[in-house]
Amino acid sequence: MARRKGLVINDRQLDRCDDLLRKLKEVSGSSFLALISASGQPITTASDEYHPETLSLASLAASSFAATRQLAKILDENEFTLLFHEGKALNLHVSQVTDQVLLIVTFGRQTQVGKVRLYTQRAMEVLRQVFEGPDDEEGPAMDSGFEADAGLAIDDLFKDL
Amino acid sequence: MPLINFAAREINYKIVYYGCGLCGKTTNIQYIHRTINPEARGKLVSIATEEERTLYFDFLPLTLGTVKGMQTRFHLYTVPGQSYYNASRKLVLQGVDGVIFVADSQITRLDENVESYLNLWDNLLAQGDDLAKLGFVIQMNKRDLTDVFSVEDLNELLNHTNSPVVEASAITGKGVFDTLKSVCKQVISKTG
Ligand SMILES: Nc1nc2c(ncn2[C@@H]2O[C@H](COP(=O)(O)OP(=O)(O)O)[C@@H](O)[C@H]2O)c(=O)[nH]1
Ligand SMILES: [Mg+2]
């Protein structure tokens, strides 16, 4: 069961992730990559032309992945760490980076699955270090006026409703 | 805890509508989707059976806009209510920041409400959540019907945390935004 622990991402982590996703995209020949949180929120993406709707994508990929993991548990199998769908024009590959982070890769039929797997596997090792490495950097703090301003924004969003 | 992406200047909170089957969770989210400023909402995704019963969840992202430089979002989810879907409910609850417990006020639905309420706390505790940091609102729904419990009675049965209560009729939209507003403000102040 996932622990209740916030996921906070700083500049350095995001830079490294973006860098890595770009490289992975190039070498693996994939069309779209996204890092998402295990609870279904997008962290960052890499893409040229293909732009699926990221919020729905993240929510659905995280929930199918979570369901797949529970399926594995029920079947006494610990190693369903990957979700793979093969389509007519597109393949989808979702794998687990850490407890809290998942990697989504989509690629076309002309790209070899084996190649994507191999490079994804390598990239995951590096990504894991980005999220699990010693947290030497003091995390940035939320702006002190955030709560008050957010309250006003909420009133505004729901006014007249 | 929310996902805070300081680098991308984004913060995402997860809000879950909980409650027994047919209490009105999906109706809440559909009403929000229908009435809120279209620019503030994303796509409504529903994983449902052919009879439109929620099979896994409904999902609706709302954008609050930029607050102190942070793009702020609320991701709304519902769970499937029937008791046999507990495995799916646990998955939807992962990483939750705020819960709206939707109670069906009808007298005939007492057992289902209580079962769902206990099931919620079981699942939250099993998940190891810090419950003090969780936003929580109880929505007493279907107040438009006649054979309903009084708010006081329901409060006694379903509110051991003394959380805010909103009376609603999700089918007409009454109370829907008051409920959401209350939980949104709580999650921001509790996790901020
Ligand atoms: N009378 C009345 N019916 C409602 C209300 N809210 C929902 N319903 C009805 O209750 C049924 C179940 O609602 P739904 O949102 O699918 O329940 P869910 O299982 O909790 O998602 C539907 O037929 C709704 O139209 C309400 O406030 N008043
Ligand atoms: Mg439903």
Side-chain angles (χ1 to χ4, degrees):
Chain A
M1 193 54 62
R3 283 161 302 144
R4 183 173 165 80
K5 191 168 156 271
L7 184 56
V8 178
I9 294 151
N10 60 37
D11 288 316
R12 205 192 39 177
Q13 284 172 316
L14 192 69
D15 284 348
R16 290 182 66 192
C17 290
D18 282 338
D19 204 35
L20 218 82
L21 289 198
R22 251 193 319 271
K23 282 187 190 133
L24 177 57
K25 189 175 163 309
E26 246 162 62
V27 296
S28 66
S30 47
S31 48
F32 171 88
L33 293 98
L35 272 180
I36 65 171
S37 75
S39 59
Q41 294 138 332
I43 297 170
T44 189
T45 61
S47 171
D48 296 329
E49 295 116 44
Y50 179 51
H51 295 285
E53 206 267 285
T54 317
L55 293 179
S56 305
L57 177 77
S59 165
L60 289 168
S63 10
S64 341
F65 189 83
T68 307
R69 273 183 86 188
Q70 288 308 306
L71 273 177
K73 244 190 207 150
I74 286 164
L75 299 172
D76 288 328
E77 165 61 63
N78 313 321
E79 288 295 317
F80 283 0
T81 48
L82 178 83
L83 182 70
F84 182 62
H85 291 297
E86 203 175 332
K88 272 223 180 77
L90 194 87
N91 295 322
L92 171 74
H93 189 286
V94 184
S95 44
Q96 180 166 33
V97 180
T98 68
D99 266 4
Q100 297 198 79
V101 180
L102 306 176
L103 173 64
I104 300 177
V105 181
T106 71
F107 52 99
R109 291 301 295 248
Q110 70 289 353
T111 307
Q112 283 174 359
V113 182
K115 191 169 146 191
V116 173
R117 284 221 173 131
L118 177 69
Y119 286 119
T120 304
Q121 214 50 46
R122 297 229 181 113
M124 300 252 288
E125 283 160 29
V126 185
L127 280 170
R128 216 163 270 142
Q129 290 165 20
V130 174
F131 290 102
E132 285 181 345
D135 202 6
D136 46 356
E137 211 174 281
E138 181 76 8
M142 291 297 286
D143 194 304
S144 60
F146 180 77
E147 185 182 338
D149 279 15
L152 293 175
I154 290 170
D155 288 337
D156 192 47
L157 179 63
F158 299 150
K159 75 166 184 281
D160 309 327
L161 287 168
Chain B
M1 284 286 282
L3 168 68
I4 307 180
N5 192 336
F6 279 108
R9 311 293 298 158
E10 282 179 2
I11 180 159
N12 289 314
Y13 299 96
K14 182 170 180 177
I15 311 282
V16 175
Y17 285 80
Y18 212 92
C20 63
L22 301 177
C23 67
K25 303 175 291 293
T26 300
T27 308
N28 264 273
I29 239 176
Q30 287 172 338
Y31 182 82
I32 294 164
H33 180 255
R34 251 199 335 269
T35 23
I36 204 165
N37 171 10
E39 275 162 27
R41 62 152 163 82
K43 235 171 101 109
L44 174 62
V45 175
S46 294
I47 305 184
T49 65
E50 274 178 45
E51 301 83 45
E52 307 217 339
R53 299 294 303 271
T54 307
L55 178 62
Y56 196 172
F57 58 79
D58 307 291
F59 168 68
L60 178 67
L62 297 183
T63 303
L64 189 57
T66 309
V67 179
K68 291 276 177 208
M70 301 288 280
Q71 181 69 28
T72 307
R73 287 201 204 96
F74 297 102
H75 290 184
L76 312 186
Y77 284 83
T78 69
V79 296
Q82 297 99 306
S83 45
Y84 48 86
Y85 285 138
N86 198 39
S88 309
R89 276 195 296 278
K90 285 183 176 173
L91 296 179
V92 177
L93 271 184
Q94 286 182 10
V96 66
D97 296 300
V99 174
I100 294 170
F101 184 82
V102 181
D104 189 326
S105 303
Q106 296 178 93
I107 288 174
T108 51
R109 304 290 287 162
L110 174 64
D111 291 350
E112 288 88 345
N113 282 320
V114 172
E115 188 193 332
S116 176
Y117 186 74
L118 296 175
N119 171 256
L120 166 65
W121 292 101
D122 276 351
N123 286 340
L124 287 173
L125 287 170
Q127 191 167 288
D129 280 6
D130 180 356
L131 298 178
K133 291 210 162 171
L134 197 69
F136 197 76
V137 180
I138 301 206
Q139 179 185 78
M140 300 193 172
N141 192 30
K142 307 201 183 178
R143 299 311 298 173
D144 56 292
L145 297 178
T146 39
D147 281 330
V148 295
F149 278 111
S150 70
V151 172
E152 294 70 43
D153 285 348
L154 277 177
N155 204 35
E156 203 146 294
L157 280 164
L158 301 174
N159 193 3
H160 76 286
T161 55
N162 247 324
S163 297
V165 171
V166 179
E167 290 186 56
S169 171
I171 206 160
T172 63
K174 183 177 168 286
V176 167
F177 283 104
D178 287 342
T179 312
L180 181 60
K181 196 163 150 174
S182 166
V183 86
C184 287
K185 289 199 173 179
Q186 282 183 57
V187 296
I188 284 180
S189 91
K190 289 191 179 183
T191 58

